[in-house]
């Protein structure tokens, strides 16, 4: 593994208007944590959840949360190393592909 990857999930308690019948952002965050841990055991990564309605004091998170609200971006929004990988309903395959660019290797 070349670098420990940082994954950020931006979302809200309220369901995105275009994402009816999908899991909540928080449920998606928890699902991603479990799925990525299973796929890449013993390969550390950082996974952070940012509530767009109540972002932390970190200006980078605050600014991106504001962008999601202002531009009506579907959430949850998943970033891998600050690159948007998914909006709305994330696909594991795309997230895995991005992680493998950083040297992560799937468990056999």
């Amino acid at each position: 593994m070349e670098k420990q990857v940082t994954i950020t999930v931006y979302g809200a308690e309220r369901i995105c208007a275009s994402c009816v019948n999908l899991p909540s952002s928080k449920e998606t965050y928890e699902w991603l944590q479990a799925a990525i841990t299973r796929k890449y055991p013993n390969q550390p990564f950082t996974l952070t959840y940012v509530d767009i309605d109540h972002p932390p004091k970190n200006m980078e998170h605050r600014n991106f949360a504001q962008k999601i609200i202002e531009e009506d971006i579907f959430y949850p929004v998943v970033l891998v190393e600050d690159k948007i990988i998914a909006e709305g309903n994330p696909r594991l395959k795309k997230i895995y592909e991005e992680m493998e660019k950083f040297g992560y290797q799937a468990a056999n």
Side-chain angles (χ1 to χ4, degrees):
M1 178 175 47
E2 298 169 18
K3 172 185 179 176
Q4 182 172 319
V5 169
T6 298
I7 303 166
T8 309
V9 178
Y10 289 85
E13 287 186 31
R14 58 188 157 81
I15 302 290
C16 171
S18 299
C19 303
V20 176
N21 297 324
L22 293 177
S24 72
S25 297
K26 192 71 167 182
E27 290 169 329
T28 299
Y29 161 80
E30 292 166 352
W31 168 72
L32 285 173
Q33 186 168 25
I36 295 168
T37 300
R38 275 193 308 274
K39 180 84 170 179
Y40 305 110
N42 303 314
Q43 297 172 69
F45 60 92
T46 301
L47 183 64
T48 304
Y49 178 77
V50 176
D51 186 322
I52 62 174
D53 293 324
H54 308 286
K57 293 180 181 179
N58 174 306
M59 285 308 293
E60 184 179 340
H61 290 314
R62 280 188 162 304
N63 291 338
F64 195 77
Q66 189 63 36
K67 178 180 177 175
I68 292 169
I69 293 167
E70 289 174 357
E71 297 180 14
D72 289 327
I73 298 173
F74 297 150
Y75 54 85
V77 179
V78 179
L79 281 70
V80 174
E81 290 298 314
D82 299 323
K83 178 180 176 185
I84 297 175
I85 302 301
E87 296 177 33
N89 188 15
R91 302 283 182 235
L92 283 173
K93 183 177 179 183
K94 288 186 75 176
I95 295 167
Y96 293 160
E97 286 172 358
E98 194 64 26
M99 291 183 73
E100 288 171 6
K101 289 178 185 177
F102 292 92
Y104 284 77
Q105 296 180 357
N108 294 331

